[in-house]
PDB file of all heavy atoms in Angstrom:
ATOM      1  N   VAL A   1      33.927   6.924 -16.987  1.00 95.00           N
ATOM      2  CA  VAL A   1      33.280   5.858 -16.130  1.00 95.00           C
ATOM      3  C   VAL A   1      32.535   6.453 -14.988  1.00 95.00           C
ATOM      4  O   VAL A   1      33.125   7.266 -14.279  1.00 95.00           O
ATOM      5  CB  VAL A   1      34.388   4.849 -15.665  1.00 95.00           C
ATOM      6  CG1 VAL A   1      33.749   3.785 -14.750  1.00 95.00           C
ATOM      7  CG2 VAL A   1      35.100   4.193 -16.894  1.00 95.00           C
ATOM      8  N   SER A   2      31.306   6.053 -14.807  1.00 95.00           N
ATOM      9  CA  SER A   2      30.590   6.511 -13.644  1.00 95.00           C
ATOM     10  C   SER A   2      29.837   5.299 -13.004  1.00 95.00           C
ATOM     11  O   SER A   2      29.504   4.371 -13.675  1.00 95.00           O
ATOM     12  CB  SER A   2      29.545   7.606 -14.040  1.00 95.00           C
ATOM     13  OG  SER A   2      28.589   7.088 -14.877  1.00 95.00           O
ATOM     14  N   LEU A   3      29.612   5.432 -11.701  1.00 96.00           N
ATOM     15  CA  LEU A   3      28.903   4.421 -10.914  1.00 96.00           C
ATOM     16  C   LEU A   3      27.819   5.080 -10.167  1.00 96.00           C
ATOM     17  O   LEU A   3      27.998   6.084  -9.468  1.00 96.00           O
ATOM     18  CB  LEU A   3      29.903   3.696  -9.961  1.00 96.00           C
ATOM     19  CG  LEU A   3      29.429   2.463  -9.253  1.00 96.00           C
ATOM     20  CD1 LEU A   3      29.224   1.306 -10.248  1.00 96.00           C
ATOM     21  CD2 LEU A   3      30.439   2.062  -8.145  1.00 96.00           C
ATOM     22  N   THR A   4      26.657   4.531 -10.260  1.00 97.00           N
ATOM     23  CA  THR A   4      25.437   5.158  -9.648  1.00 97.00           C
ATOM     24  C   THR A   4      24.684   4.227  -8.737  1.00 97.00           C
ATOM     25  O   THR A   4      23.832   3.418  -9.215  1.00 97.00           O
ATOM     26  CB  THR A   4      24.444   5.729 -10.739  1.00 97.00           C
ATOM     27  OG1 THR A   4      25.200   6.581 -11.610  1.00 97.00           O
ATOM     28  CG2 THR A   4      23.323   6.493 -10.098  1.00 97.00           C
ATOM     29  N   PRO A   5      24.990   4.150  -7.463  1.00 97.00           N
ATOM     30  CA  PRO A   5      24.153   3.389  -6.494  1.00 97.00           C
ATOM     31  C   PRO A   5      22.889   4.142  -6.148  1.00 97.00           C
ATOM     32  O   PRO A   5      22.914   5.410  -6.108  1.00 97.00           O
ATOM     33  CB  PRO A   5      25.079   3.196  -5.312  1.00 97.00           C
ATOM     34  CG  PRO A   5      26.023   4.373  -5.346  1.00 97.00           C
ATOM     35  CD  PRO A   5      26.153   4.770  -6.801  1.00 97.00           C
ATOM     36  N   VAL A   6      21.810   3.476  -5.875  1.00 98.00           N
ATOM     37  CA  VAL A   6      20.532   4.112  -5.538  1.00 98.00           C
ATOM     38  C   VAL A   6      19.901   3.251  -4.411  1.00 98.00           C
ATOM     39  O   VAL A   6      19.992   2.019  -4.408  1.00 98.00           O
ATOM     40  CB  VAL A   6      19.659   4.260  -6.722  1.00 98.00           C
ATOM     41  CG1 VAL A   6      19.343   2.836  -7.366  1.00 98.00           C
ATOM     42  CG2 VAL A   6      18.384   4.931  -6.425  1.00 98.00           C
ATOM     43  N   LEU A   7      19.213   3.912  -3.539  1.00 98.00           N
ATOM     44  CA  LEU A   7      18.480   3.253  -2.481  1.00 98.00           C
ATOM     45  C   LEU A   7      17.113   3.960  -2.279  1.00 98.00           C
ATOM     46  O   LEU A   7      17.080   5.174  -2.246  1.00 98.00           O
ATOM     47  CB  LEU A   7      19.313   3.303  -1.164  1.00 98.00           C
ATOM     48  CG  LEU A   7      18.745   2.593   0.056  1.00 98.00           C
ATOM     49  CD1 LEU A   7      18.654   1.060  -0.223  1.00 98.00           C
ATOM     50  CD2 LEU A   7      19.545   2.868   1.272  1.00 98.00           C
ATOM     51  N   ARG A   8      16.084   3.162  -2.172  1.00 98.00           N
ATOM     52  CA  ARG A   8      14.761   3.693  -2.001  1.00 98.00           C
ATOM     53  C   ARG A   8      14.015   2.972  -0.894  1.00 98.00           C
ATOM     54  O   ARG A   8      14.066   1.682  -0.836  1.00 98.00           O
ATOM     55  CB  ARG A   8      13.934   3.618  -3.274  1.00 98.00           C
ATOM     56  CG  ARG A   8      12.471   4.133  -3.122  1.00 98.00           C
ATOM     57  CD  ARG A   8      11.679   4.046  -4.441  1.00 98.00           C
ATOM     58  NE  ARG A   8      10.305   4.449  -4.198  1.00 98.00           N
ATOM     59  CZ  ARG A   8       9.826   5.630  -4.171  1.00 98.00           C
ATOM     60  NH1 ARG A   8      10.662   6.639  -4.392  1.00 98.00           N
ATOM     61  NH2 ARG A   8       8.569   5.900  -3.943  1.00 98.00           N
ATOM     62  N   TYR A   9      13.238   3.680  -0.080  1.00 98.00           N
ATOM     63  CA  TYR A   9      12.364   3.104   0.946  1.00 98.00           C
ATOM     64  C   TYR A   9      10.951   3.423   0.465  1.00 98.00           C
ATOM     65  O   TYR A   9      10.574   4.586   0.253  1.00 98.00           O
ATOM     66  CB  TYR A   9      12.588   3.680   2.302  1.00 98.00           C
ATOM     67  CG  TYR A   9      11.586   3.220   3.278  1.00 98.00           C
ATOM     68  CD1 TYR A   9      11.564   2.036   3.867  1.00 98.00           C
ATOM     69  CD2 TYR A   9      10.555   4.148   3.634  1.00 98.00           C
ATOM     70  CE1 TYR A   9      10.567   1.587   4.794  1.00 98.00           C
ATOM     71  CE2 TYR A   9       9.540   3.840   4.574  1.00 98.00           C
ATOM     72  CZ  TYR A   9       9.618   2.510   5.152  1.00 98.00           C
ATOM     73  OH  TYR A   9       8.628   2.099   6.008  1.00 98.00           O
ATOM     74  N   SER A  10      10.155   2.371   0.292  1.00 98.00           N
ATOM     75  CA  SER A  10       8.711   2.562  -0.148  1.00 98.00           C
ATOM     76  C   SER A  10       7.737   2.059   0.869  1.00 98.00           C
ATOM     77  O   SER A  10       7.936   1.069   1.470  1.00 98.00           O
ATOM     78  CB  SER A  10       8.472   1.829  -1.473  1.00 98.00           C
ATOM     79  OG  SER A  10       9.347   2.271  -2.528  1.00 98.00           O
ATOM     80  N   TYR A  11       6.671   2.858   1.011  1.00 98.00           N
ATOM     81  CA  TYR A  11       5.594   2.436   1.955  1.00 98.00           C
ATOM     82  C   TYR A  11       4.188   2.643   1.230  1.00 98.00           C
ATOM     83  O   TYR A  11       4.035   3.566   0.448  1.00 98.00           O
ATOM     84  CB  TYR A  11       5.559   3.302   3.177  1.00 98.00           C
ATOM     85  CG  TYR A  11       4.331   3.145   4.065  1.00 98.00           C
ATOM     86  CD1 TYR A  11       4.287   2.102   5.007  1.00 98.00           C
ATOM     87  CD2 TYR A  11       3.257   3.987   3.954  1.00 98.00           C
ATOM     88  CE1 TYR A  11       3.168   1.901   5.790  1.00 98.00           C
ATOM     89  CE2 TYR A  11       2.079   3.829   4.715  1.00 98.00           C
ATOM     90  CZ  TYR A  11       2.100   2.806   5.672  1.00 98.00           C
ATOM     91  OH  TYR A  11       0.993   2.603   6.380  1.00 98.00           O
ATOM     92  N   TYR A  12       3.279   1.717   1.439  1.00 98.00           N
ATOM     93  CA  TYR A  12       1.969   1.902   0.853  1.00 98.00           C
ATOM     94  C   TYR A  12       0.864   1.477   1.885  1.00 98.00           C
ATOM     95  O   TYR A  12       1.160   0.675   2.807  1.00 98.00           O
ATOM     96  CB  TYR A  12       1.861   1.097  -0.419  1.00 98.00           C
ATOM     97  CG  TYR A  12       1.506  -0.387  -0.210  1.00 98.00           C
ATOM     98  CD1 TYR A  12       0.239  -0.837  -0.261  1.00 98.00           C
ATOM     99  CD2 TYR A  12       2.584  -1.279  -0.056  1.00 98.00           C
ATOM    100  CE1 TYR A  12      -0.046  -2.217  -0.078  1.00 98.00           C
ATOM    101  CE2 TYR A  12       2.347  -2.618   0.102  1.00 98.00           C
ATOM    102  CZ  TYR A  12       1.017  -3.053   0.088  1.00 98.00           C
ATOM    103  OH  TYR A  12       0.760  -4.438   0.290  1.00 98.00           O
ATOM    104  N   ASP A  13      -0.313   1.993   1.669  1.00 97.00           N
ATOM    105  CA  ASP A  13      -1.463   1.661   2.534  1.00 97.00           C
ATOM    106  C   ASP A  13      -2.735   1.633   1.604  1.00 97.00           C
ATOM    107  O   ASP A  13      -2.858   2.532   0.778  1.00 97.00           O
ATOM    108  CB  ASP A  13      -1.617   2.672   3.622  1.00 97.00           C
ATOM    109  CG  ASP A  13      -2.738   2.331   4.529  1.00 97.00           C
ATOM    110  OD1 ASP A  13      -2.525   1.476   5.476  1.00 97.00           O
ATOM    111  OD2 ASP A  13      -3.821   2.858   4.400  1.00 97.00           O
ATOM    112  N   ARG A  14      -3.501   0.582   1.713  1.00 96.00           N
ATOM    113  CA  ARG A  14      -4.756   0.446   0.943  1.00 96.00           C
ATOM    114  C   ARG A  14      -5.919   0.172   1.916  1.00 96.00           C
ATOM    115  O   ARG A  14      -5.780  -0.703   2.788  1.00 96.00           O
ATOM    116  CB  ARG A  14      -4.627  -0.693  -0.056  1.00 96.00           C
ATOM    117  CG  ARG A  14      -3.505  -0.609  -1.026  1.00 96.00           C
ATOM    118  CD  ARG A  14      -3.648   0.464  -2.076  1.00 96.00           C
ATOM    119  NE  ARG A  14      -2.662   0.521  -3.074  1.00 96.00           N
ATOM    120  CZ  ARG A  14      -1.582   1.287  -3.016  1.00 96.00           C
ATOM    121  NH1 ARG A  14      -1.478   2.131  -2.002  1.00 96.00           N
ATOM    122  NH2 ARG A  14      -0.648   1.226  -3.917  1.00 96.00           N
ATOM    123  N   LYS A  15      -6.962   0.946   1.720  1.00 94.00           N
ATOM    124  CA  LYS A  15      -8.103   0.786   2.638  1.00 94.00           C
ATOM    125  C   LYS A  15      -9.405   0.853   1.892  1.00 94.00           C
ATOM    126  O   LYS A  15      -9.736   1.845   1.144  1.00 94.00           O
ATOM    127  CB  LYS A  15      -8.142   1.904   3.680  1.00 94.00           C
ATOM    128  CG  LYS A  15      -6.977   1.834   4.681  1.00 94.00           C
ATOM    129  CD  LYS A  15      -7.086   2.941   5.754  1.00 94.00           C
ATOM    130  CE  LYS A  15      -5.969   2.859   6.765  1.00 94.00           C
ATOM    131  NZ  LYS A  15      -6.049   3.941   7.744  1.00 94.00           N
ATOM    132  N   PRO A  16     -10.285  -0.223   2.069  1.00 92.00           N
ATOM    133  CA  PRO A  16     -11.640  -0.081   1.512  1.00 92.00           C
ATOM    134  C   PRO A  16     -12.486   0.762   2.453  1.00 92.00           C
ATOM    135  O   PRO A  16     -12.200   0.700   3.702  1.00 92.00           O
ATOM    136  CB  PRO A  16     -12.128  -1.599   1.475  1.00 92.00           C
ATOM    137  CG  PRO A  16     -11.377  -2.210   2.615  1.00 92.00           C
ATOM    138  CD  PRO A  16     -10.020  -1.508   2.601  1.00 92.00           C
ATOM    139  N   GLN A  17     -13.510   1.429   1.938  1.00 89.00           N
ATOM    140  CA  GLN A  17     -14.296   2.291   2.780  1.00 89.00           C
ATOM    141  C   GLN A  17     -15.807   2.085   2.590  1.00 89.00           C
ATOM    142  O   GLN A  17     -16.579   3.003   2.569  1.00 89.00           O
ATOM    143  CB  GLN A  17     -13.970   3.737   2.544  1.00 89.00           C
ATOM    144  CG  GLN A  17     -12.504   4.114   2.873  1.00 89.00           C
ATOM    145  CD  GLN A  17     -12.179   5.566   2.638  1.00 89.00           C
ATOM    146  OE1 GLN A  17     -12.253   6.097   1.523  1.00 89.00           O
ATOM    147  NE2 GLN A  17     -11.785   6.269   3.680  1.00 89.00           N
ATOM    148  N   THR A  18     -16.163   0.820   2.425  1.00 83.00           N
ATOM    149  CA  THR A  18     -17.620   0.486   2.358  1.00 83.00           C
ATOM    150  C   THR A  18     -18.189   0.515   3.711  1.00 83.00           C
ATOM    151  O   THR A  18     -17.546   0.591   4.699  1.00 83.00           O
ATOM    152  CB  THR A  18     -17.789  -0.892   1.697  1.00 83.00           C
ATOM    153  OG1 THR A  18     -17.321  -1.909   2.580  1.00 83.00           O
ATOM    154  CG2 THR A  18     -17.043  -1.014   0.365  1.00 83.00           C
ATOM    155  N   ASN A  19     -19.502   0.427   3.738  1.00 78.00           N
ATOM    156  CA  ASN A  19     -20.251   0.469   5.071  1.00 78.00           C
ATOM    157  C   ASN A  19     -20.046  -0.861   5.784  1.00 78.00           C
ATOM    158  O   ASN A  19     -20.183  -0.880   7.022  1.00 78.00           O
ATOM    159  CB  ASN A  19     -21.769   0.711   4.871  1.00 78.00           C
ATOM    160  CG  ASN A  19     -21.994   2.105   4.316  1.00 78.00           C
ATOM    161  OD1 ASN A  19     -21.335   3.061   4.679  1.00 78.00           O
ATOM    162  ND2 ASN A  19     -22.972   2.233   3.480  1.00 78.00           N
ATOM    163  N   ASN A  20     -19.698  -1.917   5.119  1.00 75.00           N
ATOM    164  CA  ASN A  20     -19.483  -3.208   5.691  1.00 75.00           C
ATOM    165  C   ASN A  20     -18.431  -3.955   4.977  1.00 75.00           C
ATOM    166  O   ASN A  20     -18.708  -4.878   4.159  1.00 75.00           O
ATOM    167  CB  ASN A  20     -20.812  -4.054   5.717  1.00 75.00           C
ATOM    168  CG  ASN A  20     -20.754  -5.183   6.736  1.00 75.00           C
ATOM    169  OD1 ASN A  20     -19.644  -5.681   7.078  1.00 75.00           O
ATOM    170  ND2 ASN A  20     -21.901  -5.613   7.237  1.00 75.00           N
ATOM    171  N   ASN A  21     -17.159  -3.648   5.198  1.00 77.00           N
ATOM    172  CA  ASN A  21     -16.063  -4.218   4.512  1.00 77.00           C
ATOM    173  C   ASN A  21     -15.994  -5.766   4.727  1.00 77.00           C
ATOM    174  O   ASN A  21     -15.827  -6.552   3.805  1.00 77.00           O
ATOM    175  CB  ASN A  21     -14.720  -3.695   4.964  1.00 77.00           C
ATOM    176  CG  ASN A  21     -14.571  -2.215   4.585  1.00 77.00           C
ATOM    177  OD1 ASN A  21     -15.182  -1.755   3.672  1.00 77.00           O
ATOM    178  ND2 ASN A  21     -13.785  -1.512   5.328  1.00 77.00           N
ATOM    179  N   ALA A  22     -16.247  -6.237   5.940  1.00 75.00           N
ATOM    180  CA  ALA A  22     -16.110  -7.662   6.269  1.00 75.00           C
ATOM    181  C   ALA A  22     -17.176  -8.479   5.513  1.00 75.00           C
ATOM    182  O   ALA A  22     -16.889  -9.576   5.012  1.00 75.00           O
ATOM    183  CB  ALA A  22     -16.241  -7.869   7.711  1.00 75.00           C
ATOM    184  N   LEU A  23     -18.382  -7.875   5.305  1.00 70.00           N
ATOM    185  CA  LEU A  23     -19.445  -8.583   4.635  1.00 70.00           C
ATOM    186  C   LEU A  23     -19.050  -8.893   3.178  1.00 70.00           C
ATOM    187  O   LEU A  23     -19.372  -9.957   2.642  1.00 70.00           O
ATOM    188  CB  LEU A  23     -20.752  -7.829   4.653  1.00 70.00           C
ATOM    189  CG  LEU A  23     -21.918  -8.388   3.944  1.00 70.00           C
ATOM    190  CD1 LEU A  23     -22.363  -9.686   4.551  1.00 70.00           C
ATOM    191  CD2 LEU A  23     -23.100  -7.451   3.960  1.00 70.00           C
ATOM    192  N   TYR A  24     -18.322  -7.985   2.568  1.00 73.00           N
ATOM    193  CA  TYR A  24     -17.944  -8.139   1.200  1.00 73.00           C
ATOM    194  C   TYR A  24     -16.520  -8.737   1.051  1.00 73.00           C
ATOM    195  O   TYR A  24     -15.991  -8.814  -0.046  1.00 73.00           O
ATOM    196  CB  TYR A  24     -18.058  -6.864   0.471  1.00 73.00           C
ATOM    197  CG  TYR A  24     -19.412  -6.232   0.584  1.00 73.00           C
ATOM    198  CD1 TYR A  24     -19.552  -5.021   1.288  1.00 73.00           C
ATOM    199  CD2 TYR A  24     -20.506  -6.819   0.038  1.00 73.00           C
ATOM    200  CE1 TYR A  24     -20.820  -4.451   1.422  1.00 73.00           C
ATOM    201  CE2 TYR A  24     -21.781  -6.301   0.177  1.00 73.00           C
ATOM    202  CZ  TYR A  24     -21.961  -5.051   0.894  1.00 73.00           C
ATOM    203  OH  TYR A  24     -23.149  -4.528   1.020  1.00 73.00           O
ATOM    204  N   GLY A  25     -15.879  -9.134   2.126  1.00 80.00           N
ATOM    205  CA  GLY A  25     -14.588  -9.732   2.108  1.00 80.00           C
ATOM    206  C   GLY A  25     -13.457  -8.745   1.746  1.00 80.00           C
ATOM    207  O   GLY A  25     -12.444  -9.167   1.178  1.00 80.00           O
ATOM    208  N   LEU A  26     -13.631  -7.500   1.995  1.00 87.00           N
ATOM    209  CA  LEU A  26     -12.640  -6.472   1.657  1.00 87.00           C
ATOM    210  C   LEU A  26     -11.770  -6.141   2.892  1.00 87.00           C
ATOM    211  O   LEU A  26     -12.324  -5.786   3.939  1.00 87.00           O
ATOM    212  CB  LEU A  26     -13.300  -5.207   1.103  1.00 87.00           C
ATOM    213  CG  LEU A  26     -14.265  -5.453  -0.049  1.00 87.00           C
ATOM    214  CD1 LEU A  26     -14.851  -4.048  -0.506  1.00 87.00           C
ATOM    215  CD2 LEU A  26     -13.586  -6.109  -1.257  1.00 87.00           C
ATOM    216  N   GLU A  27     -10.496  -6.211   2.714  1.00 91.00           N
ATOM    217  CA  GLU A  27      -9.517  -6.023   3.815  1.00 91.00           C
ATOM    218  C   GLU A  27      -8.555  -4.917   3.544  1.00 91.00           C
ATOM    219  O   GLU A  27      -8.211  -4.682   2.345  1.00 91.00           O
ATOM    220  CB  GLU A  27      -8.827  -7.284   4.230  1.00 91.00           C
ATOM    221  CG  GLU A  27      -9.723  -8.402   4.605  1.00 91.00           C
ATOM    222  CD  GLU A  27      -8.935  -9.683   4.844  1.00 91.00           C
ATOM    223  OE1 GLU A  27      -7.675  -9.650   4.849  1.00 91.00           O
ATOM    224  OE2 GLU A  27      -9.529 -10.774   5.094  1.00 91.00           O
ATOM    225  N   SER A  28      -8.112  -4.221   4.531  1.00 94.00           N
ATOM    226  CA  SER A  28      -7.017  -3.255   4.392  1.00 94.00           C
ATOM    227  C   SER A  28      -5.636  -3.968   4.362  1.00 94.00           C
ATOM    228  O   SER A  28      -5.565  -5.040   4.786  1.00 94.00           O
ATOM    229  CB  SER A  28      -6.991  -2.259   5.541  1.00 94.00           C
ATOM    230  OG  SER A  28      -8.230  -1.537   5.609  1.00 94.00           O
TER     231      SER A  28
END
């Protein structure tokens, strides 16, 4: 018999890099 607890912390970041993000409705 074995017991395996696990814990993870996840972080993400997304960024558009167009010349005019707001004009095309793209947000980070």
Side-chain angles (χ1 to χ4, degrees):
V1 178
S2 65
L3 190 66
T4 308
V6 60
L7 184 65
R8 177 181 174 84
Y9 171 79
S10 300
Y11 171 84
Y12 81 94
D13 183 83
R14 305 286 185 263
K15 291 182 180 179
Q17 296 183 300
T18 68
N19 294 327
N20 196 335
N21 294 334
L23 178 64
Y24 305 113
L26 306 181
E27 301 177 4
S28 299

